[in-house]
Amino acid sequence: MRALSSRNTQSNIVLRNEIDKIRLLFRKDRESYLCFYRILGFYPRNIQLYEQALLHKSTSVRSDKGRPLNNERLEFLGDAILDAIVGDIVYKRFEGKREGFLTNTRSKIVQRETLNKLAVEIGLDKLIKYSTRSSSHNSYMYGNAFEAFIGAIYLDQGYERCKQFMEQRIINRYIDLDKISRKEVNFKSKLIEWSQKNKMEVSFELIEQFLDHDSNPVFQTEVRIEGLPAGTGTGYSKKESQQNAAQMAIKKVKEPTFMSTIEEIKIQHSATATEMETEMEIEFATDSETELATGLENEPETELNANPEIEPENVSEKNILVDEISTVQATEAPATSQSKSPCDDPESPNRDLQ
């Protein structure tokens, strides 16, 4: 039943192509149709969709309603359709594989680097309309156009024709599914995973940032393993430069000479760290002994001040002397405390009146 359905579908495609070929004879822009036919394997119905898919936003045009026309909306649609189609193909190709494996394999196919290469393989790079300034730093422009192209196929021909294009014209010709499923793509993650497994210190440092001839920012990153430069990468984004640097470093760590040098540096770092720990322990022990000795010297004075009931002998003698003086003053107090009368004073002016 499935084979019969497939034959009917194939017959319909052949019949439709013949009808489109006849219509093409009466079109003035048949060269454009033939160009897309060589890429697609069928004639477009609405050629404007494919032309828009190849129109970069740097050269946007206005529609009759005044809206900008470029390939961004088709790129959005094509991204979703491409995920579904590749997921369908991978699911059927790798029976029994887990979800994580299928997801990783699909992501390797639909990532921008792969789509860039596919766009060049089928010749889309020669058909894209863009400004020279935009192309100099947009390294994913071809991949974006490929997604937009998929969106155009979907709108023009439907899902099944779109899937047929991906299977027959793309994957069967340019992609080895078994090989790409084993391929490591995220070089930075791979390098970090390797460093953690081998207990190596890895760092990514931005060593330079400059402008290219079109004044677009360019980043250069260096990867260091145990402080030793292992690779450099350049890109129009920090992420791209880090990926390129990590890719070079992964190749570097496979060299026996480089790894021998890294091992020697690692041993030196370990020895230095051990010496520093020993010095810190000795310094800590010395400080502890000093604090203990200082505490013993101050201990009698501390105990004396801490107990107010214990007083030195000279303090007691002073208290006895003070008590004796107080007793004498108390005995003489009545005589000195009587107040004098003016009559008792011989010099008083009132004495003559008595």
Side-chain angles (χ1 to χ4, degrees):
M1 187 69 180
R2 182 179 298 178
L4 180 61
S5 177
S6 177
R7 290 177 184 175
N8 291 335
T9 302
Q10 191 67 28
S11 299
N12 291 334
I13 292 173
V14 173
L15 179 60
R16 187 182 299 171
N17 276 339
E18 292 299 324
I19 295 173
D20 291 337
K21 187 183 295 185
I22 295 172
R23 290 176 179 174
L24 183 62
L25 297 175
F26 303 96
R27 290 185 177 276
K28 296 180 180 180
D29 54 351
R30 55 179 174 269
E31 289 298 328
S32 297
Y33 278 86
L34 288 173
C35 178
F36 286 122
Y37 175 80
R38 297 187 189 100
I39 296 174
L40 298 168
F42 56 84
Y43 292 100
R45 293 178 184 174
N46 185 356
I47 197 171
Q48 284 78 20
L49 287 172
Y50 300 91
E51 292 174 344
Q52 183 178 343
L54 301 174
L55 188 62
H56 188 257
K57 65 179 180 180
S58 61
T59 55
S60 298
V61 297
R62 294 286 176 177
S63 65
D64 297 337
K65 297 181 180 180
R67 297 176 182 175
L69 289 178
N70 53 55
N71 64 359
E72 286 188 327
R73 284 173 54 84
L74 286 173
E75 177 191 340
F76 164 79
L77 178 62
D79 178 58
I81 299 300
L82 192 60
D83 272 351
I85 291 175
V86 174
D88 189 355
I89 295 172
V90 169
Y91 179 84
K92 294 176 180 177
R93 174 65 178 80
F94 298 100
E95 294 184 3
K97 292 293 185 179
R98 295 184 177 181
E99 180 268 342
F101 173 87
L102 299 177
T103 300
N104 289 335
T105 303
R106 180 183 62 183
S107 65
K108 293 170 187 177
I109 297 174
V110 301
Q111 66 172 337
R112 286 295 184 274
E113 289 83 358
T114 304
L115 298 184
N116 276 346
K117 295 177 181 179
L118 293 175
V120 174
E121 289 287 351
I122 64 177
L124 290 185
D125 58 316
K126 299 180 178 63
L127 302 177
I128 299 173
K129 295 181 180 180
Y130 57 87
S131 68
T132 306
R133 181 178 178 84
S134 297
S135 66
S136 61
H137 70 282
N138 192 343
S139 55
Y140 297 142
M141 182 175 62
Y142 298 157
N144 295 340
F146 184 90
E147 287 183 334
F149 204 68
I150 295 297
I153 298 173
Y154 172 75
L155 292 178
D156 184 48
Q157 301 283 335
Y159 179 85
E160 289 300 328
R161 179 63 72 90
C162 199
K163 182 182 176 183
Q164 181 188 23
F165 168 77
M166 280 299 301
E167 283 184 312
Q168 297 180 3
R169 292 273 173 167
I170 301 299
I171 292 180
N172 291 346
R173 293 185 180 185
Y174 306 111
I175 296 177
D176 186 338
L177 290 177
D178 292 324
K179 183 178 180 180
I180 202 170
S181 66
R182 298 188 299 267
K183 182 181 178 182
E184 293 294 340
V185 176
N186 194 332
F187 299 107
K188 182 178 179 181
S189 297
K190 179 68 175 178
L191 182 63
I192 292 175
E193 181 181 352
W194 171 87
S195 67
Q196 293 174 346
K197 181 179 179 180
N198 294 276
K199 297 181 180 180
M200 296 284 186
E201 182 181 354
V202 173
S203 62
F204 291 80
E205 297 184 19
L206 182 65
I207 58 176
E208 190 176 5
Q209 181 176 348
F210 55 92
L211 300 177
D212 64 5
H213 60 280
D214 288 327
S215 299
N216 298 306
V218 181
F219 302 89
Q220 189 172 28
T221 299
E222 182 179 67
V223 176
R224 296 184 179 182
I225 302 177
E226 292 294 333
L228 186 68
T232 56
T234 304
Y236 286 102
S237 67
K238 292 181 181 179
K239 182 178 180 180
E240 184 181 2
S241 66
Q242 289 176 352
Q243 286 291 335
N244 293 334
Q247 183 179 9
M248 184 180 293
I250 289 175
K251 294 179 180 179
K252 195 75 173 178
V253 297
K254 295 179 181 179
E255 300 177 4
T257 304
F258 180 78
M259 285 307 301
S260 298
T261 306
I262 290 294
E263 290 293 343
E264 292 177 1
I265 294 175
K266 185 179 179 181
I267 293 173
Q268 293 176 2
H269 289 174
S270 299
T272 303
T274 303
E275 291 177 0
M276 291 180 63
E277 290 178 359
T278 304
E279 291 176 359
M280 291 178 64
E281 290 176 358
I282 295 174
E283 184 178 355
F284 177 79
T286 303
D287 292 342
S288 299
E289 293 175 358
T290 303
E291 292 177 359
L292 180 60
T294 304
L296 292 174
E297 291 176 359
N298 297 333
E299 185 175 358
E301 181 179 355
T302 303
E303 292 180 356
L304 179 63
N305 294 335
N307 191 354
E309 296 180 359
I310 301 176
E311 297 178 348
E313 295 181 357
N314 58 347
V315 174
S316 300
E317 292 175 356
K318 287 182 179 180
N319 290 340
I320 294 172
L321 181 60
V322 170
D323 291 340
E324 292 177 353
I325 294 173
S326 299
T327 303
V328 173
Q329 289 178 347
T331 305
E332 298 176 352
T336 57
S337 63
Q338 293 179 357
S339 60
K340 290 184 179 181
S341 173
C343 299
D344 297 336
D345 188 356
E347 300 295 328
S348 176
N350 295 329
R351 182 178 179 85
D352 296 335
L353 296 177
Q354 294 180 355

